[in-house]
Amino acid sequence: MLGAGSLGCLWAARLARAGVAVQLILRNPARLAAYQRAGGLTLVEHDQARRYAVPGQLTDDASPIQRLLLACKAYDAETAIASIAPRLAPGAELILLQNGLGSQEAVAAQVPQARCIFASSTEGAFRDGTAPEGEWRVVFAGRGHTWLGDSQDDTPPSWLSDLQRSDIPHQWSPDILSRLWRKLALNCAINPLTVLYDCRNGGLSDHATEVATLCAELDQLLQRCGQPAAAANLHADVQQVIQATAANFSSMHQDVALGRRTEIAYLLGHACATAQHQSLVLPHLAALHERLRHYLDARGLPSH
Ligand code: NAP
């Protein structure tokens, strides 16, 4: 497991609990020492905390890697993979858990010898920085599902049974790109506006025309990218998500509120870059990107 953060620890704890051999790969000796001082990782589920002594190792460990879960943020994925690329065994398999699009293709290009499986997850976890174990304590905040797929080869990997016995709800999905595009489109229609209007998801009911215009442009983009299934009923789905999650702050809103870097480049940025690449003019989406970039710049947060 490279990227021992919220989602990575959530996966590692459940795999370890089921007896699947898993190790955390940490970026430097200081991080490894901090992890070892914490005595393992702690998963909080249904208000019950349990510690798992998952072994830790460094990126430059000598052992070959046959199967790697990459669970860092999209903007860290290429650097993280470069740090372990020489360790990948022939025919190694990578599971890429990044949100958005763009980082997966970049990682796959870096390691052509490996099979890259893309994942899209609706599970939710966060690190509980207030606990004595600090960042090695992860709270399982939202049950969900994970879709996994390989757009080059739709043969399901044999280790899906490991996920089954680890109680990680999942499904092999030959149309994983469609799922990733759909999630990206939902994100583009909701998250940037919640940041710009500084509101909960439900606050977008006051901006219904703007949301509808964005959905129409996202529909055009998905059609042009050969993803008509990802475009189907997008606007209705966006409205439904806004209603169903009215009381929530979007993940991008939370990141900005906490002064954390967002994954904008792999969400709205990727949508706009793809439109440009396709010579598709989407003025409202482009203007939204520009407004969001200015907003982040003004707060000293990366806008790319
Ligand atoms: P996170 O809590 O910030 O964890 C990322 C981890 O990656 C950190 O522990 C970081 O280490 C590590 N990392 C970064 N670069 C590294 C490197 N070069 N070598 C080793 N470790 C490295 O992020 P997250 O919330 O788990 O999100 C991961 C991905 O999953 C994102 O794309 C996110 O959108 C997606 N996702 C998350 C959730 C969720 O609920 N959390 C749900 C669905 C999807 P340091 O601590 O040392 O910086």
Side-chain angles (χ1 to χ4, degrees):
M1 172 70 62
L2 181 58
S6 312
L7 199 59
C9 288
L10 175 62
W11 276 63
R14 289 178 295 178
L15 291 166
R17 183 173 63 191
V20 179
V22 58
Q23 298 205 28
L24 300 186
I25 304 177
L26 298 156
R27 62 166 99 213
N28 59 39
R31 298 294 289 150
L32 181 58
Y35 173 65
Q36 284 165 343
R37 272 196 305 278
L41 59 87
T42 301
L43 179 65
V44 183
E45 198 177 355
H46 309 303
D47 291 329
Q48 302 262 0
R50 221 181 123 186
R51 188 179 295 176
Y52 300 91
V54 175
Q57 56 166 260
L58 289 170
T59 44
D60 60 5
D61 190 280
S63 56
I65 299 171
Q66 189 61 52
R67 192 174 303 148
L68 183 79
L69 277 148
L70 183 67
C72 59
K73 291 281 169 71
Y75 48 75
D76 282 327
E78 287 177 76
T79 310
I81 282 298
S83 72
I84 55 87
R87 295 179 55 191
L88 292 177
E93 291 171 298
L94 268 57
I95 301 131
L96 308 178
L97 286 164
Q98 287 61 51
N99 201 1
L101 277 163
S103 70
Q104 301 90 339
E105 289 84 352
V107 165
Q110 273 178 292
V111 287
Q113 75 277 27
R115 180 183 193 194
C116 288
I117 289 165
F118 299 1
S120 177
S121 179
T122 58
E123 292 192 314
F126 63 88
R127 297 199 259 191
D128 180 7
T130 58
E133 309 92 324
E135 53 209 312
W136 309 108
R137 182 180 172 103
V138 169
V139 181
F140 193 175
R143 304 225 147 250
H145 200 85
T146 301
W147 288 266
L148 303 132
D150 176 354
S151 53
Q152 313 288 315
D153 174 2
D154 63 10
T155 318
S158 58
W159 43 260
L160 289 183
S161 55
D162 285 345
L163 304 190
Q164 193 70 38
R165 69 188 168 101
S166 303
D167 212 9
I168 297 176
H170 68 281
Q171 192 178 325
W172 182 249
S173 170
D175 62 349
I176 189 69
L177 281 179
S178 174
R179 287 207 170 267
L180 285 162
W181 268 114
R182 176 67 163 209
K183 194 171 178 211
L184 182 149
L186 283 162
N187 185 297
C188 289
I190 296 173
N191 293 27
L193 288 178
T194 63
V195 172
L196 294 169
Y197 292 122
D198 190 13
C199 66
R200 294 174 198 266
N201 291 356
L204 297 187
S205 309
D206 297 339
H207 305 278
T209 311
E210 205 172 356
V211 170
T213 309
L214 290 172
C215 287
E217 291 194 355
L218 287 161
D219 184 299
Q220 282 186 60
L221 175 64
L222 294 170
Q223 304 287 353
R224 180 68 74 91
C225 295
Q227 299 290 345
N233 302 316
L234 178 64
H235 185 216
D237 205 5
V238 165
Q239 288 172 304
Q240 201 270 327
V241 170
I242 288 172
Q243 275 175 20
T245 62
N248 299 356
F249 283 111
S250 73
S251 55
M252 193 178 266
H253 186 286
Q254 290 177 42
D255 282 341
V256 174
L258 292 169
R260 287 195 303 229
R261 183 174 179 177
T262 70
E263 295 181 298
I264 174 179
Y266 302 88
L267 296 159
L268 185 55
H270 184 80
C272 290
T274 306
Q276 200 171 18
H277 187 69
Q278 299 276 352
S279 307
L280 187 62
V281 180
L282 300 174
H284 294 89
L285 211 57
L288 180 69
H289 190 210
E290 217 33 49
R291 281 163 69 198
L292 184 60
R293 291 182 59 169
H294 280 133
Y295 190 97
L296 297 175
D297 283 342
R299 281 152 187 81
L301 291 171
S303 57
H304 53 275

Short mmCIF file of all heavy atoms in Angstrom, two decimals, residues 183-211:
data_model
loop_
_atom_site.label_atom_id
_atom_site.label_comp_id
_atom_site.label_asym_id
_atom_site.label_seq_id
_atom_site.Cartn_x
_atom_site.Cartn_y
_atom_site.Cartn_z
N LYS A 183 -18.47 10.15 -12.46
CA LYS A 183 -18.15 10.73 -11.15
C LYS A 183 -17.49 12.10 -11.32
O LYS A 183 -17.78 13.04 -10.59
CB LYS A 183 -17.23 9.77 -10.39
CG LYS A 183 -17.14 10.11 -8.92
CD LYS A 183 -16.42 9.05 -8.12
CE LYS A 183 -16.32 9.50 -6.67
NZ LYS A 183 -15.13 9.01 -6.00
N LEU A 184 -16.63 12.20 -12.32
CA LEU A 184 -15.96 13.47 -12.60
C LEU A 184 -16.99 14.54 -12.98
O LEU A 184 -16.94 15.68 -12.52
CB LEU A 184 -14.92 13.27 -13.71
CG LEU A 184 -14.09 14.49 -14.12
CD1 LEU A 184 -12.70 14.04 -14.59
CD2 LEU A 184 -14.73 15.30 -15.23
N ALA A 185 -17.95 14.15 -13.83
CA ALA A 185 -18.96 15.12 -14.27
C ALA A 185 -19.82 15.59 -13.09
O ALA A 185 -20.11 16.78 -12.96
CB ALA A 185 -19.83 14.49 -15.36
N LEU A 186 -20.21 14.65 -12.23
CA LEU A 186 -20.99 15.03 -11.05
C LEU A 186 -20.18 16.00 -10.18
O LEU A 186 -20.71 17.01 -9.70
CB LEU A 186 -21.33 13.78 -10.21
CG LEU A 186 -22.46 12.90 -10.75
CD1 LEU A 186 -22.41 11.51 -10.14
CD2 LEU A 186 -23.82 13.55 -10.45
N ASN A 187 -18.91 15.69 -10.04
CA ASN A 187 -18.04 16.54 -9.24
C ASN A 187 -17.95 17.95 -9.85
O ASN A 187 -18.09 18.95 -9.14
CB ASN A 187 -16.64 15.89 -9.16
CG ASN A 187 -15.71 16.65 -8.25
OD1 ASN A 187 -15.39 17.80 -8.51
ND2 ASN A 187 -15.26 16.01 -7.18
N CYS A 188 -17.77 18.02 -11.19
CA CYS A 188 -17.63 19.33 -11.85
C CYS A 188 -18.89 20.17 -11.73
O CYS A 188 -18.82 21.40 -11.69
CB CYS A 188 -17.32 19.15 -13.34
SG CYS A 188 -15.68 18.53 -13.65
N ALA A 189 -20.05 19.51 -11.70
CA ALA A 189 -21.32 20.25 -11.64
C ALA A 189 -21.63 20.75 -10.24
O ALA A 189 -22.45 21.65 -10.07
CB ALA A 189 -22.46 19.36 -12.14
N ILE A 190 -21.01 20.13 -9.24
CA ILE A 190 -21.38 20.46 -7.85
C ILE A 190 -20.23 21.12 -7.08
O ILE A 190 -20.36 22.23 -6.55
CB ILE A 190 -21.85 19.18 -7.10
CG1 ILE A 190 -23.13 18.63 -7.76
CG2 ILE A 190 -22.07 19.46 -5.61
CD1 ILE A 190 -23.60 17.29 -7.22
N ASN A 191 -19.09 20.44 -7.01
CA ASN A 191 -18.05 20.85 -6.05
C ASN A 191 -17.50 22.27 -6.27
O ASN A 191 -17.41 23.04 -5.30
CB ASN A 191 -16.92 19.81 -6.04
CG ASN A 191 -17.38 18.49 -5.47
OD1 ASN A 191 -18.56 18.16 -5.55
ND2 ASN A 191 -16.49 17.72 -4.89
N PRO A 192 -17.12 22.65 -7.50
CA PRO A 192 -16.56 24.01 -7.65
C PRO A 192 -17.54 25.09 -7.21
O PRO A 192 -17.14 26.07 -6.56
CB PRO A 192 -16.26 24.10 -9.16
CG PRO A 192 -16.06 22.68 -9.58
CD PRO A 192 -17.03 21.89 -8.76
N LEU A 193 -18.83 24.93 -7.54
CA LEU A 193 -19.81 25.96 -7.15
C LEU A 193 -19.96 26.04 -5.63
O LEU A 193 -20.15 27.12 -5.08
CB LEU A 193 -21.17 25.68 -7.81
CG LEU A 193 -21.26 25.93 -9.32
CD1 LEU A 193 -22.64 25.57 -9.86
CD2 LEU A 193 -20.93 27.39 -9.66
N THR A 194 -19.86 24.88 -4.95
CA THR A 194 -19.99 24.94 -3.48
C THR A 194 -18.82 25.71 -2.87
O THR A 194 -18.96 26.34 -1.83
CB THR A 194 -20.04 23.53 -2.83
OG1 THR A 194 -18.81 22.85 -3.08
CG2 THR A 194 -21.21 22.72 -3.34
N VAL A 195 -17.65 25.63 -3.54
CA VAL A 195 -16.49 26.40 -3.07
C VAL A 195 -16.72 27.88 -3.34
O VAL A 195 -16.59 28.73 -2.44
CB VAL A 195 -15.20 25.92 -3.78
CG1 VAL A 195 -14.02 26.83 -3.45
CG2 VAL A 195 -14.87 24.48 -3.39
N LEU A 196 -17.12 28.21 -4.58
CA LEU A 196 -17.26 29.62 -4.97
C LEU A 196 -18.38 30.31 -4.20
O LEU A 196 -18.27 31.49 -3.87
CB LEU A 196 -17.50 29.71 -6.48
CG LEU A 196 -16.30 29.26 -7.32
CD1 LEU A 196 -16.69 29.14 -8.80
CD2 LEU A 196 -15.13 30.22 -7.16
N TYR A 197 -19.48 29.58 -3.91
CA TYR A 197 -20.58 30.19 -3.15
C TYR A 197 -20.45 29.91 -1.65
O TYR A 197 -21.33 30.28 -0.88
CB TYR A 197 -21.93 29.69 -3.68
CG TYR A 197 -22.21 30.20 -5.09
CD1 TYR A 197 -22.46 29.31 -6.12
CD2 TYR A 197 -22.22 31.56 -5.37
CE1 TYR A 197 -22.70 29.77 -7.42
CE2 TYR A 197 -22.46 32.03 -6.66
CZ TYR A 197 -22.69 31.13 -7.67
OH TYR A 197 -22.93 31.59 -8.94
N ASP A 198 -19.40 29.22 -1.27
CA ASP A 198 -19.14 28.87 0.13
C ASP A 198 -20.41 28.32 0.79
O ASP A 198 -20.91 28.87 1.78
CB ASP A 198 -18.62 30.10 0.89
CG ASP A 198 -18.12 29.72 2.27
OD1 ASP A 198 -17.95 28.52 2.55
OD2 ASP A 198 -17.92 30.63 3.11
N CYS A 199 -20.92 27.24 0.20
CA CYS A 199 -22.19 26.70 0.71
C CYS A 199 -22.15 25.18 0.79
O CYS A 199 -21.26 24.53 0.24
CB CYS A 199 -23.34 27.14 -0.20
SG CYS A 199 -23.28 26.44 -1.87
N ARG A 200 -23.14 24.65 1.50
CA ARG A 200 -23.34 23.20 1.50
C ARG A 200 -23.91 22.81 0.14
O ARG A 200 -24.40 23.68 -0.60
CB ARG A 200 -24.33 22.80 2.60
CG ARG A 200 -23.79 23.07 3.99
CD ARG A 200 -24.86 22.79 5.05
NE ARG A 200 -24.48 23.44 6.31
CZ ARG A 200 -23.82 22.82 7.29
NH1 ARG A 200 -23.51 21.55 7.18
NH2 ARG A 200 -23.49 23.48 8.38
N ASN A 201 -23.93 21.50 -0.13
CA ASN A 201 -24.44 21.07 -1.45
C ASN A 201 -25.85 21.60 -1.70
O ASN A 201 -26.18 22.03 -2.81
CB ASN A 201 -24.42 19.55 -1.54
CG ASN A 201 -22.99 19.01 -1.60
OD1 ASN A 201 -22.03 19.79 -1.64
ND2 ASN A 201 -22.85 17.70 -1.61
N GLY A 202 -26.67 21.59 -0.65
CA GLY A 202 -28.06 22.03 -0.79
C GLY A 202 -28.17 23.49 -1.22
O GLY A 202 -29.17 23.89 -1.83
N GLY A 203 -27.15 24.29 -0.92
CA GLY A 203 -27.16 25.71 -1.29
C GLY A 203 -27.21 25.92 -2.79
O GLY A 203 -27.56 27.01 -3.27
N LEU A 204 -26.87 24.87 -3.55
CA LEU A 204 -26.88 25.02 -5.01
C LEU A 204 -28.30 25.06 -5.58
O LEU A 204 -28.47 25.40 -6.75
CB LEU A 204 -26.07 23.89 -5.67
CG LEU A 204 -24.58 23.87 -5.32
CD1 LEU A 204 -23.85 22.84 -6.16
CD2 LEU A 204 -23.94 25.25 -5.51
N SER A 205 -29.31 24.78 -4.74
CA SER A 205 -30.70 24.93 -5.20
C SER A 205 -30.95 26.38 -5.59
O SER A 205 -31.80 26.67 -6.43
CB SER A 205 -31.68 24.54 -4.09
OG SER A 205 -31.32 23.31 -3.59
N ASP A 206 -30.19 27.31 -4.99
CA ASP A 206 -30.36 28.74 -5.33
C ASP A 206 -29.65 29.10 -6.63
O ASP A 206 -29.69 30.25 -7.05
CB ASP A 206 -29.76 29.62 -4.22
CG ASP A 206 -30.48 29.42 -2.90
OD1 ASP A 206 -31.63 28.95 -2.92
OD2 ASP A 206 -29.88 29.72 -1.84
N HIS A 207 -28.94 28.13 -7.22
CA HIS A 207 -28.17 28.40 -8.44
C HIS A 207 -28.52 27.37 -9.51
O HIS A 207 -27.65 26.88 -10.24
CB HIS A 207 -26.66 28.38 -8.12
CG HIS A 207 -26.28 29.32 -7.03
ND1 HIS A 207 -26.08 30.67 -7.24
CD2 HIS A 207 -26.14 29.12 -5.70
CE1 HIS A 207 -25.80 31.25 -6.08
NE2 HIS A 207 -25.84 30.34 -5.14
N ALA A 208 -29.80 27.04 -9.56
CA ALA A 208 -30.25 25.93 -10.41
C ALA A 208 -29.96 26.15 -11.90
O ALA A 208 -29.61 25.20 -12.61
CB ALA A 208 -31.75 25.71 -10.19
N THR A 209 -30.08 27.40 -12.37
CA THR A 209 -29.84 27.66 -13.79
C THR A 209 -28.38 27.43 -14.14
O THR A 209 -28.05 26.83 -15.16
CB THR A 209 -30.23 29.12 -14.13
OG1 THR A 209 -31.53 29.34 -13.59
CG2 THR A 209 -30.25 29.36 -15.62
N GLU A 210 -27.50 27.88 -13.25
CA GLU A 210 -26.07 27.70 -13.48
C GLU A 210 -25.71 26.20 -13.50
O GLU A 210 -24.94 25.75 -14.36
CB GLU A 210 -25.31 28.42 -12.35
CG GLU A 210 -23.92 28.82 -12.75
CD GLU A 210 -23.25 29.70 -11.68
OE1 GLU A 210 -23.89 30.05 -10.67
OE2 GLU A 210 -22.07 30.00 -11.88
N VAL A 211 -26.30 25.45 -12.58
CA VAL A 211 -26.04 24.01 -12.53
C VAL A 211 -26.53 23.36 -13.83
O VAL A 211 -25.84 22.53 -14.43
CB VAL A 211 -26.73 23.38 -11.29
CG1 VAL A 211 -26.69 21.85 -11.36
CG2 VAL A 211 -26.08 23.87 -10.00
#
